[in-house]
Amino acid sequence: MFAVTDQAFVTLGTNDVYCQGALVLEQSLRAHKTSRQLAILITPDVSSGYRTVLHAVFDEVVEVNMLDSKDTAHLALMKRPELGVTFTKLHCWTLTQYRKCVFLDADSLVLCNIDELFDREELSAAPDAGWPDCFNTGMFVFRPSLQTYSMLLQFAEEHGSFDGGDQGLLNSYFSSWATQDISKHLSFLYNLSSNATYTYLPAFRQFGSEAKVIHFLGAVKPWQYKYNPQTGAARWEGGEPPGPHCMEFINLWWQIYSSEVVPLLVQHKVAEEIGIKQHMQNLSIGLLLLSEQKAAPPAAPCPKEVDTSEAPIDNDEQQSSEVRAIVSDHLLEPVYTVFCKCVLLFNNLLAGLAASISELSVEDTSEEAYGAKERQNWEEGHIDYMGKDAFENIQKKLDRFLQ
Ligand SMILES: O=c1ccn([C@@H]2O[C@H](COP(=O)(O)OP(=O)(O)O[C@H]3O[C@H](CO)[C@@H](O)[C@H](O)[C@H]3O)[C@@H](O)[C@H]2O)c(=O)[nH]1
Ligand SMILES: [Mn+2]
């Protein structure tokens, strides 16, 4: 396929949670064989583990500073205090290595090839379902330009944003969108809000099958649901049911997440950061499941049984040599053999997750003790045997993980 190098789809992830949305989006664009580059803007909060995964799948990962509107009054009107950071989206105009781009929110996914969008001009976008004289900024065609970028910042400083987020600002700046040029007025099918079934069901029945991009806009995102890979169905758990979303699309998001994104996270050893939980009846059932899918990549070799005797650990050459190095360094063989087996077991459980999980959920546990920094220390051999990496703490982690 002919690759177009001066045009790109661009998305934004300011933290690990939104980056998971970005990974689903990326997989959906690749699945529909885009010929354009895939770029993501990230901010310093994205962990090193996630950066590795993003670098592996996006053509370009660009780190930018966090821009924040800090406009709490307007954001409060929208009941979305977190959206000030969406000003960071404005950085997309700095990507001048590309001639033309299509921005897509990280909470969207594509259902077919949408490369024809690159035939459109700045600023092309689809109407917002809440106020159709405004465009929704979950998807728009733009031309990177440092001049436009600085004019946008200046405009933001002088006028602010009527909703506190990027959407209010961009609609004020590109204010002729609603009336001037119908070719910049894109079909709603390019940015279909996932609750359209509820707001206008007959129209959804008539046209929904032609949808090209699904956008999970609103306070509740697909990753806040729980998913059962056996049934392929997501469900809402705990408390008030969220605003309406079409479950068919939520299920689709989760199907892509579990079949395409989880294996990537496992392969790059970042699965533990997102708190994928498995609900197994007990450890032996879990191990049985793991050993059954031993041959299936990308799962790592798995221990057949839990054995805390002093037999050598031989199920993964690289891991066991690392483990032996730790053991011989500290000459505390009996204690650390058990300790290392637990670590191995923990790693193997994570590695086997993709196929063995009975339920998935995504949580931002980046603040937890086993964060990116700790993992880096671990990888570099700085292990706090007496403190947070002590055997009982690893045991606690295992217990939590297997709850
Ligand atoms: O903490 C955050 C919040 C947002 N984003 C990015 O910004 C986008 C917009 O935020 P989102 O939560 O998707 O907003 P929406 O619920 O879609 O709300 C609407 O309002 C936002 C603020 O004006 C616009 O950015 C959206 O395009 C518009 O659909 C996300 O998709 C991400 O790409 C982050 O990376 N981190
Ligand atoms: Mn969005």
Side-chain angles (χ1 to χ4, degrees):
M1 191 186 9
F2 177 66
V4 182
T5 53
D6 63 352
Q7 298 184 351
F9 284 104
V10 179
T11 189
L12 164 69
T14 65
N15 54 44
D16 289 358
V17 171
Y18 272 93
C19 281
Q20 301 190 71
L23 286 165
V24 170
L25 170 65
E26 184 274 343
Q27 292 295 319
S28 70
L29 283 160
R30 299 261 186 231
H32 296 292
K33 303 199 172 0
T34 178
S35 60
R36 271 39 177 209
Q37 302 292 292
L38 302 187
I40 182 165
L41 302 173
I42 59 166
T43 53
D45 281 353
V46 175
S47 69
S48 61
Y50 271 84
R51 282 160 197 255
T52 314
V53 182
L54 296 171
H55 275 284
V57 298
F58 279 87
D59 296 301
E60 196 172 6
V61 180
V62 182
E63 180 164 339
V64 296
N65 299 328
M66 188 86 98
L67 293 179
D68 191 337
S69 72
K70 296 202 175 63
D71 191 343
T72 44
H74 283 134
L75 287 166
L77 273 178
M78 260 173 101
K79 302 200 178 72
R80 300 285 302 276
E82 76 278 19
L83 287 184
V85 301
T86 63
F87 262 45
T88 313
K89 217 187 253 189
L90 302 180
H91 278 293
C92 68
W93 267 274
T94 66
L95 298 173
T96 52
Q97 60 274 48
Y98 304 112
R99 202 166 46 82
K100 197 188 276 184
C101 296
V102 172
F103 184 90
L104 285 164
D105 263 10
D107 60 342
S108 59
L109 69 88
V110 310
L111 304 176
C112 60
N113 185 296
I114 52 167
D115 287 358
E116 70 273 12
L117 284 175
F118 290 89
D119 297 340
R120 303 294 180 128
E121 265 314 317
E122 176 173 282
L123 184 286
S124 295
D128 184 84
W131 196 268
D133 281 347
C134 288
F135 53 89
N136 181 275
T137 53
M139 185 281 299
F140 57 91
V141 183
F142 69 103
R143 272 186 191 276
S145 148
L146 294 181
Q147 198 190 353
T148 310
Y149 177 66
S150 69
M151 278 163 31
L152 277 165
L153 290 190
Q154 197 184 330
F155 190 93
E157 224 174 279
E158 285 169 16
H159 306 281
S161 160
F162 66 76
D163 67 4
D166 62 283
Q167 184 158 311
L169 173 73
L170 290 172
N171 270 278
S172 301
Y173 187 86
F174 294 102
S175 60
S176 63
W177 172 84
T179 52
Q180 206 174 60
D181 181 353
I182 194 70
S183 72
K184 295 182 179 175
H185 222 108
L186 300 178
S187 162
F188 190 54
L189 296 171
Y190 285 106
N191 189 350
L192 184 71
S193 42
S194 59
N195 54 12
T197 52
Y198 295 84
T199 49
Y200 194 0
L201 182 60
F204 181 78
R205 287 217 178 105
Q206 181 74 7
F207 306 113
S209 61
E210 296 164 47
K212 295 170 193 294
V213 179
I214 298 297
H215 183 188
F216 298 97
L217 90 179
V220 175
K221 302 300 185 196
W223 48 82
Q224 290 166 280
Y225 286 73
K226 298 256 160 52
Y227 178 66
N228 181 334
Q230 266 91 53
T231 61
R235 74 193 147 78
W236 183 254
E237 213 182 55
E240 283 278 292
H245 271 306
C246 176
M247 287 312 292
E248 188 194 327
F249 299 136
I250 299 277
N251 290 343
L252 177 63
W253 188 95
W254 271 103
Q255 279 150 26
I256 300 173
Y257 182 77
S258 65
S259 65
E260 310 296 331
V261 176
V262 170
L264 278 172
L265 301 177
V266 169
Q267 190 187 335
H268 293 278
K269 298 192 165 59
V270 291
E272 72 268 34
E273 271 177 31
I274 50 157
I276 292 176
K277 285 184 186 165
Q278 51 179 353
H279 300 277
M280 294 184 296
Q281 292 214 301
N282 58 46
L283 186 58
S284 53
I285 291 177
L287 291 174
L288 197 69
L289 279 166
L290 291 170
S291 53
E292 269 170 18
Q293 43 102 17
K294 195 172 174 179
C302 310
K304 284 223 172 60
E305 58 189 61
V306 195
D307 176 8
T308 51
S309 76
E310 311 244 351
I313 301 160
D314 61 356
N315 39 25
D316 182 298
E317 216 176 286
Q318 195 201 334
Q319 271 182 343
S320 49
S321 67
E322 278 170 20
V323 167
R324 278 198 213 99
I326 295 167
V327 171
S328 58
D329 268 4
H330 294 273
L331 301 170
L332 287 164
E333 188 105 26
V335 175
Y336 283 106
T337 301
V338 176
F339 165 75
C340 294
K341 283 185 178 187
C342 287
V343 172
L344 260 182
L345 186 58
F346 187 52
N347 284 341
N348 285 333
L349 282 170
L350 290 173
L353 271 176
S356 70
I357 36 185
S358 58
E359 187 172 69
L360 278 173
S361 65
V362 173
E363 287 165 15
D364 185 5
T365 52
S366 49
E367 307 253 297
E368 285 196 17
Y370 210 69
K373 184 85 178 65
E374 280 77 5
R375 207 184 52 253
Q376 192 185 345
N377 286 343
W378 244 92
E379 283 161 0
E380 288 167 0
H382 306 302
I383 297 164
D384 181 11
Y385 293 114
M386 297 303 154
K388 66 183 184 331
D389 299 321
F391 177 71
E392 69 254 2
N393 288 336
I394 297 286
Q395 181 80 57
K396 271 187 218 147
K397 244 174 244 169
L398 264 171
D399 290 345
R400 237 192 357 254
F401 186 74
L402 294 170
Q403 262 167 27

